[in-house]
Amino acid sequence: MDKPVQQSSTGEWDRVWVNANLATMVAAHDGVSGYGEIKDAALAVRGDRIAWMGSSAEALARARSQDVAVTDCGGAWLLPGLIDCHTHLVYGGSRVEEFEKRLCGVSYEEIARAGGGIQSTVNATRAATPESLLESATVRALRLMDEGVTTLEIKSGYGLELSVERRLLEVARELGRRLPLSVRTTYLGLHALPKEAAADRAGFVKQVSGPWLEALAASGLIDAVDAFCENIAFSVAETEQFLHAAQRLGVPAHVHAGQLSDMGAAELAARFGALSADHLEYLSAPGAAALAGAGTVAVLLPGAYYMLRQTTPPPVPFLRQAGVALALATDCNPGTSPCTSLLLALNMGCTLFGLTPHEALAGVTRHAARALGLQTDIGTLEVGKRADFALYRIDRPAELCYALGANPCASVVYGGVAR
Ligand SMILES: [Zn+2]
């Protein structure tokens, strides 16, 4: 499949992909469909950038005269490399035993008493070596990459102590060095209160927002921060303290907001100009308006909604009406979303949340790029952008949202190089 039909040396282009249908995912405007489609098209790369897009016939003529390598896509659809903009990919252990027990009738209380829940992942993560963390995260990353993912956000948050948080971020960065994958790292400082800090919440928040954040930022290990603002996690005031500290250091923010209740976390995220507010099952119309006003992306996470068997979906009509950019992600984590398929998240976004296939696909390309602050570099097929793209054997783009459990990804190009 996609075998080179002609090899060559130099030229203005390094390689050109012909006989493709492009879904550029460039924002819709008059006369152009929602996917930014260009049929019977070609795309040329120079270095790690998209150098040209146009008709296959023109590309072939030019490739012949310039002696450029040509790949025949055989009518495949070519989309921007997918972006999973919210994951907790690096962790130790698994929660499969807990999942099994629960379905066999063991109560949450008994599981918690036996040391289950998030604390069990924290214990397993603290006990894991960097090598084993890297190994298990690599397996999960490769599954995502097989579907066409070329950029991945990874949060810390299962260490809850400085040395382990640092280890998680270092493993995430190492993953990006070893794999043909761009990794963005987020310090999820306020995820859960560790049991050793149960008697001193304020002291923990102060430590997370002060010396720990400063040390990690100084190491150059973080692209952003995140906090779980929720009645079972951290209050608006505690989250605000952390976001203030990040703002002083010039580190952008994400916020886990409105997953289980509306505490005004979306408004808080907007006040700090956060890159994204994530989950948002519980969000008011004014909350949606605040996100729109701040240009904060709403990242919807249908995997967790599904696993928790929630029944109140995010208010997509409010978000649409307010003009908030919608992204979709796997939220890959051992407790509430053991999901390593962004294509499955596309289907769930459509089926459970009522997104149109176009909205869902924009949510893992253009808008996911914006949720990471990378919209000028990735997320659409445009000349000058990074040559990250994936080829799919499908008849139309919506098929990526429609098929359950299928993976029609035929090949992936990362920075102009087929991997
Ligand atoms: Zn999350």
Side-chain angles (χ1 to χ4, degrees):
M1 230 178 275
D2 309 315
K3 67 179 192 301
V5 295
Q6 186 187 343
Q7 291 291 342
S8 76
S9 52
T10 55
E12 206 179 319
W13 302 340
D14 293 330
R15 177 173 286 276
V16 63
W17 282 257
V18 301
N19 195 13
N21 295 307
L22 308 184
T24 64
M25 299 313 298
V26 171
H29 53 82
D30 288 347
V32 178
S33 96
Y35 302 105
E37 297 175 29
I38 311 175
K39 299 276 185 68
D40 302 319
L43 181 150
V45 305
R46 171 77 171 159
D48 67 357
R49 299 285 133 184
I50 297 172
W52 181 90
M53 295 188 296
S55 81
S56 272
E58 193 182 337
L60 280 169
R62 195 161 153 186
R64 242 174 261 122
S65 70
Q66 293 183 3
D67 199 19
V68 173
V70 176
T71 297
D72 188 340
C73 300
W77 278 86
L78 206 154
L79 273 83
L82 305 185
I83 301 163
D84 193 352
C85 68
H86 180 141
T87 84
H88 308 249
L89 198 86
V90 183
Y91 58 82
S94 147
R95 301 262 280 279
V96 62
E97 202 182 321
E98 197 178 303
F99 174 77
E100 189 175 27
K101 275 185 186 160
R102 225 168 38 228
L103 288 167
C104 292
V106 181
S107 73
Y108 280 98
E109 288 71 25
E110 285 171 272
I111 290 169
R113 265 204 309 276
I118 191 168
Q119 189 64 44
S120 76
T121 298
V122 171
N123 295 342
T125 302
R126 286 176 175 177
T129 63
E131 294 73 25
S132 70
L133 289 169
L134 183 64
E135 195 181 330
S136 60
T138 299
V139 171
R140 294 187 277 271
L142 288 172
R143 287 183 189 150
L144 289 163
M145 291 163 67
D146 280 349
E147 293 185 339
V149 169
T150 51
T151 300
L152 188 56
E153 186 264 8
I154 301 177
K155 302 175 196 299
S156 67
Y158 289 117
L160 308 181
E161 61 189 26
L162 179 59
S163 62
V164 186
E165 290 293 304
R166 183 192 298 278
R167 189 184 308 151
L168 297 177
L169 294 161
E170 283 170 349
V171 166
R173 285 283 172 91
E174 182 62 19
L175 205 62
R177 283 189 288 271
R178 293 201 183 187
L179 299 174
L181 177 73
S182 298
V183 170
R184 302 294 283 183
T185 49
T186 301
Y187 172 40
L188 176 49
L190 297 182
H191 192 193
L193 192 67
K195 60 178 188 305
E196 65 272 15
D200 187 14
R201 275 187 85 84
F204 178 75
V205 174
K206 204 170 158 193
Q207 210 164 21
V208 163
S209 310
W212 293 8
L213 172 61
E214 283 157 24
L216 295 171
S219 315
L221 279 171
I222 59 177
D223 298 307
V225 297
D226 197 345
F228 187 17
C229 186
E230 189 52 74
N231 53 28
I232 60 160
F234 293 91
S235 68
V236 167
E238 289 163 340
T239 305
E240 190 165 5
Q241 189 182 335
F242 181 54
L243 296 184
H244 261 304
Q247 194 174 53
R248 275 196 298 273
L249 294 173
V251 181
H254 306 281
V255 180
H256 282 67
Q259 183 183 11
L260 306 169
S261 64
D262 184 3
M263 307 191 346
E267 286 87 340
L268 176 69
R271 233 173 20 249
F272 278 87
L275 288 170
S276 71
D278 304 41
H279 285 291
L280 301 173
E281 276 80 0
Y282 295 86
L283 175 72
S284 64
L291 294 177
T296 298
V297 177
V299 178
L300 308 184
L301 304 167
Y305 176 89
Y306 166 81
M307 284 293 282
L308 293 171
R309 303 179 68 166
Q310 287 182 265
T311 51
T312 303
V316 168
F318 287 172
L319 291 162
R320 275 189 194 128
Q321 202 169 16
V324 179
L326 303 177
L328 269 177
T330 61
D331 192 16
C332 176
N333 79 76
T336 59
S337 189
C339 175
T340 48
S341 171
L342 196 53
L343 296 182
L344 185 57
L346 284 176
N347 178 275
M348 288 179 170
C350 294
T351 307
L352 300 173
F353 294 168
L355 298 184
T356 64
H358 165 252
E359 285 173 327
L361 280 168
V364 297
T365 55
R366 183 171 81 243
H367 291 159
R370 197 165 142 200
L372 298 179
L374 299 175
Q375 64 272 28
T376 58
D377 200 43
I378 55 171
T380 56
L381 299 178
E382 289 179 87
V383 171
K385 282 208 172 173
R386 214 183 128 79
D388 290 353
F389 50 88
L391 272 76
Y392 297 96
R393 298 285 167 206
I394 50 176
D395 293 327
R396 54 196 295 155
E399 209 174 314
L400 294 176
C401 306
Y402 162 76
L404 266 177
N407 180 12
C409 184
S411 69
V412 182
V413 174
Y414 177 72
V417 178
R419 68 178 192 216

